[in-house]
Amino acid sequence: MIAALTLLLVFQLAGEVITRALDLPIPGPVLGMGLFFGYLMLRGGPSEDLRKTAGGLLQHLSLLFIPAGTGIVLYGELIAAEWLPIVAALVGSTALAIVVTALVLNALVKRRRTGADSEGGARP
């Protein structure tokens, strides 16, 4: 478990270092997650130890929402004063995410159909 946690933190650190060194506009942990995904793809997937550790972390994922809840309590007055832009941003970003997901799914389904047609048979 310690090795798996260390691996996760090393990729997060690598993302932070690269982001700060290159002055990239994305968060370091996001870049680290992308690097980690690439590592897992090259490796053929996660090890059993990494699977168990990730499962344990996911079981306690709700603990990560405590800082967000604290922020809401701390900045309640500001949120109340700026509720309209916040709601607009939430609704707009959710709608955009749904539209982009639908477009990507549609493109992938068409691509899969085209691939099945060119192979001369239907895929399951």
Side-chain angles (χ1 to χ4, degrees), residues 25-99:
I26 60 172
V30 173
L31 181 61
M33 185 172 48
L35 293 171
F36 187 57
F37 177 72
Y39 166 77
L40 289 177
M41 292 298 291
L42 290 173
R43 202 165 169 259
S47 65
E48 189 58 35
D49 185 39
L50 185 58
R51 280 184 201 274
K52 288 180 183 177
T53 302
L57 287 172
L58 289 174
Q59 286 179 343
H60 303 290
L61 188 63
S62 61
L63 292 175
L64 298 177
F65 292 104
I66 291 173
T70 305
I72 289 174
V73 171
L74 185 63
Y75 295 108
E77 290 179 17
L78 180 62
I79 292 171
E82 301 290 335
W83 70 270
L84 185 58
I86 292 171
V87 169
L90 288 172
V91 171
S93 63
T94 301
L96 183 63
I98 291 170
V99 168

